[in-house]
């Protein structure tokens, strides 16, 4: 493959689980700042594929802004204001919005969920493993994190399947199995003012608004209560639209990324049984292995920024207004930062992955919770397994944004 053969805008290149890595390898070595044409779907974008360049751009919000949107869809100024969330905000306002919930996601705060998480994990695994053969995504990795989110939002456990469905329909807006309306379809123009152009966003908004109505003025400590009963540090209250977009972000981001990280980690352990054996024989290794799980999984392929000025990187001139895409998944396979990156090694030390970002104002708010969820899942799961094998085809989400597996059929033998 040559740089001119690379097409990171073609979603079908992301269905086999191999082509993306080949494309990233070529670009890192031969064209680390690469112009990608998008045809009729956009004006094109620059791809950053090396670890160091991604970290540098992610930190430099003065040159690479999030305010023009963080996925590849191009929006006008009116749409940007309507759809703006924490992700599409920079500077003091971003900091203020982030601080509304920051203390709920600190390592100390999330550690308080450990007993609950272990009980939840046990119930999830009891139900799934008894089946013998099942879809690991549906029965385990989708079921588990959404129940954690439901507790943090203080919503009924009976609502979790609805939350999963909304996340699928919104994030999977380019996958015909998930989307109500496919991105770039003629019908999607009707929903251009909604996040991900998904009509499911309207349902999430309505659900969140009802929660807000009930919690406003109360003394609850759940995430919704914190959003509706606190004023950001900059003194600018959340508008109704701000609340809608913040709530939707929690529903989507709080579930999808951890779910895919758990699924990819299980797939990696199936493919590398010697690594699974190490963890089963020495469970104390699991805490460190979580970092390798996160690097290997890279559940979000990219985030996009927009250049605020002309800038040159590796001899390529990026013009003000150009889209610049940071391929985090590629950075996690960059041998310049990660020795032997295509070796899955649960004992890897000094793992400099960028799955959550690195040193950026946009560093993932929920990183400590995700780490805890993944650790507990595998601490509880692996001792129960004598064997686990694939029981059918692995099916992936059709997306160049989320690196997702939508079906992972497995057969287990219990220890």
């Amino acid at each position: 493959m040559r740089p001119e053969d690379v097409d990171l805008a073609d979603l079908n290149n992301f269905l086999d689980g191999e082509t993306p890595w080949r494309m990233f390898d070529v670009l890192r070595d031969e064209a680390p700042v690469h112009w990608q044409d998008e045809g009729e779907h956009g004006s094109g974008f620059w791809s950053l594929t090396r670890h160091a360049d991604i970290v540098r751009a992610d930190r430099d919000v003065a040159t690479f802004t999030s305010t023009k949107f963080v996925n590849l869809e191009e929006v006008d100024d009116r749409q940007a204001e309507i759809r703006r969330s924490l992700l599409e905000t920079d500077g003091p306002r971003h900091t203020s919005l982030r601080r509304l919930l920051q203390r709920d996601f600190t390592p100390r705060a999330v550690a308080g969920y450990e007993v609950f998480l272990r009980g939840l994990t046990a119930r999830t695994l009891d139900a799934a493993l008894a089946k013998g053969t099942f879809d690991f995504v549906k029965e385990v990795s989708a079921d588990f994190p959404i129940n954690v989110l439901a507790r943090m939002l203080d919503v009924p456990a009976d609502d979790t399947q609805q939350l999963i469905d909304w996340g699928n329909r919104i994030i999977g807006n380019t996958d015909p199995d998930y989307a109500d309306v496919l991105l770039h379809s003629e019908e999607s123009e009707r929903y251009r003012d909604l996040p991900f152009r998904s009509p499911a966003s309207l349902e999430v908004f309505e659900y969140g608004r009802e929660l807000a109505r009930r919690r406003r003025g109360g003394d609850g400590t759940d995430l919704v209560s914190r959003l509706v009963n606190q004023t950001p540090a900059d003194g600018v209250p959340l508008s109704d639209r701000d609340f809608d977009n913040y709530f939707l972000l929690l529903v989507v981001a709080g579930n999808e990324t951890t779910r895919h990280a758990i699924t990819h980690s299980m797939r990696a352990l199936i493919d590398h049984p010697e690594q699974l054996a190490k963890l089963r024989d020495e469970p104390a290794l699991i805490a460190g292995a979580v970092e390798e799980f996160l690097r290997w999984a890279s559940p979000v392929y990219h985030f996009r920024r927009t250049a605020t000025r002309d800038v040159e990187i590796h001899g390529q001139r990026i013009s003000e207004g150009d889209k610049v895409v940071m391929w985090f998944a590629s950075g996690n396979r960059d041998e310049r930062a990660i020795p032997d990156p295509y070796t899955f090694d649960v004992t890897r030390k000094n793992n400099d992955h960028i799955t959550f970002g690195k040193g950026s104002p946009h560093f993932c708010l929920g990183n400590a919770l995700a780490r805890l969820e993944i650790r507990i899942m595998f601490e509880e799961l692996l001792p129960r397994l004598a064997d686990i094998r694939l029981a059918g085809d692995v099916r992936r989400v059709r997306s160049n944004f989320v690196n997702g597996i939508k079906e992972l059929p497995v057969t287990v033998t219990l220890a």
Side-chain angles (χ1 to χ4, degrees):
M1 186 180 289
R2 303 163 300 173
E4 54 266 35
D5 299 323
V6 168
D7 190 350
L8 292 168
D10 184 351
L11 304 184
N12 292 324
N13 283 334
F14 292 79
L15 285 172
D16 64 10
E18 297 179 5
T19 301
W21 307 112
R22 293 173 57 215
M23 294 192 294
F24 295 147
D25 289 349
V26 169
L27 294 187
R28 283 197 308 274
D29 289 344
E30 302 181 40
V33 183
H34 174 261
W35 178 254
Q36 176 67 63
D37 183 69
E38 292 182 275
E40 63 180 333
H41 297 317
S43 60
F45 56 85
W46 293 101
S47 287
L48 303 182
T49 49
R50 288 185 181 172
H51 185 285
D53 297 330
I54 294 164
V55 170
R56 188 176 303 118
D58 200 21
R59 290 175 173 173
D60 186 1
V61 296
T63 304
F64 301 101
T65 183
S66 300
T67 61
K68 300 297 183 182
F69 251 59
V70 297
N71 54 29
L72 290 172
E73 182 190 352
E74 293 170 14
V75 298
D76 57 34
D77 290 343
R78 183 189 62 84
Q79 284 176 283
E81 284 306 310
I82 292 172
R83 292 169 52 176
R84 189 175 310 285
S85 73
L86 178 68
L87 294 180
E88 292 87 18
T89 309
D90 284 332
R93 183 59 173 172
H94 173 85
T95 302
S96 295
L97 292 175
R98 188 181 177 92
R99 285 179 178 169
L100 282 173
L101 300 183
Q102 195 159 20
R103 67 177 179 177
D104 296 280
F105 289 98
T106 63
R108 176 178 293 181
V110 301
Y113 288 100
E114 180 154 353
V115 173
F116 163 73
L117 286 170
R118 290 202 184 275
L120 172 61
T121 307
R123 291 194 298 275
T124 298
L125 295 177
D126 286 346
L129 298 180
K131 299 176 186 293
T133 297
F134 56 92
D135 176 11
F136 189 86
V137 176
K138 180 180 179 181
E139 303 294 339
V140 178
S141 54
D143 181 75
F144 173 62
I146 201 67
N147 276 282
V148 182
L149 177 67
R151 183 180 176 98
M152 297 184 79
L153 295 173
D154 191 20
V155 300
D158 290 346
D159 290 356
T160 56
Q161 188 53 54
Q162 181 63 76
L163 295 172
I164 292 171
D165 177 63
W166 282 330
N168 287 343
R169 290 159 62 196
I170 291 169
I171 288 292
N173 67 336
T174 56
D175 189 309
D177 286 345
Y178 283 155
D180 301 302
V181 176
L182 284 170
L183 184 68
H184 303 311
S185 68
E186 185 175 339
E187 188 182 0
S188 75
E189 279 298 303
R190 294 172 52 195
Y191 305 101
R192 62 197 303 267
D193 292 342
L194 294 176
F196 296 89
R197 295 196 178 208
S198 172
S201 298
L202 291 172
E203 298 173 39
V204 175
F205 288 165
E206 188 59 35
Y207 183 84
R209 289 166 188 168
E210 178 58 23
L211 293 177
R213 185 187 66 77
R214 297 178 191 171
R215 312 277 171 82
R216 189 170 282 111
D219 56 2
T221 59
D222 60 275
L223 299 184
V224 174
S225 293
R226 293 206 187 281
L227 288 180
V228 298
N229 294 318
Q230 295 182 97
T231 299
D234 61 3
V236 180
L238 286 186
S239 67
D240 291 344
R241 184 180 293 159
D242 290 335
F243 173 82
D244 285 346
N245 292 332
Y246 212 139
F247 180 78
L248 183 138
L249 179 62
L250 290 172
V251 168
V252 172
N255 170 47
E256 289 285 330
T257 50
T258 305
R259 157 190 172 174
H260 293 309
I262 289 172
T263 305
H264 278 291
S265 301
M266 189 70 262
R267 170 71 190 275
L269 291 171
I270 292 170
D271 290 344
H272 301 85
E274 77 289 351
Q275 299 296 309
L276 190 154
K278 285 182 182 180
L279 298 181
R280 196 160 42 202
D281 294 344
E282 198 172 344
L285 293 175
I286 293 176
V290 168
E291 301 308 311
E292 182 71 342
F293 292 164
L294 289 164
R295 181 189 75 85
W296 192 261
S298 296
V300 175
Y301 277 122
H302 76 261
F303 275 111
R304 165 236 173 149
R305 302 289 187 258
T306 303
T308 62
R309 61 180 178 87
D310 294 351
V311 62
E312 186 173 299
I313 306 177
H314 296 300
Q316 294 286 3
R317 182 180 178 83
I318 297 172
S319 298
E320 178 183 350
D322 284 352
K323 293 192 291 187
V324 179
V325 177
M326 306 174 296
W327 293 94
F328 289 89
S330 175
N332 279 339
R333 297 293 196 280
D334 186 354
E335 64 277 6
R336 296 159 190 81
I338 310 286
D340 200 12
Y342 282 95
T343 295
F344 177 65
D345 179 6
V346 297
T347 65
R348 185 183 293 275
K349 306 298 182 186
N350 303 316
N351 193 334
D352 194 22
H353 71 76
I354 52 175
T355 298
F356 295 125
K358 181 183 177 183
S360 162
H362 288 273
F363 185 76
C364 176
L365 186 65
N367 75 90
L369 178 60
R371 286 180 161 108
L372 181 66
E373 290 176 348
I374 296 167
R375 175 172 64 82
I376 289 175
M377 170 54 68
F378 287 96
E379 286 177 348
E380 296 294 323
L381 172 61
L382 298 188
R384 297 180 179 225
L385 298 178
D387 187 43
I388 180 168
R389 301 184 182 189
L390 292 180
D393 293 336
V394 177
R395 299 181 64 229
R396 303 177 63 85
V397 179
R398 182 179 179 269
S399 174
N400 63 2
F401 176 57
V402 60
N403 180 16
I405 294 175
K406 58 187 175 185
E407 286 184 21
L408 183 71
V410 298
T411 295
V412 301
T413 304
L414 301 184

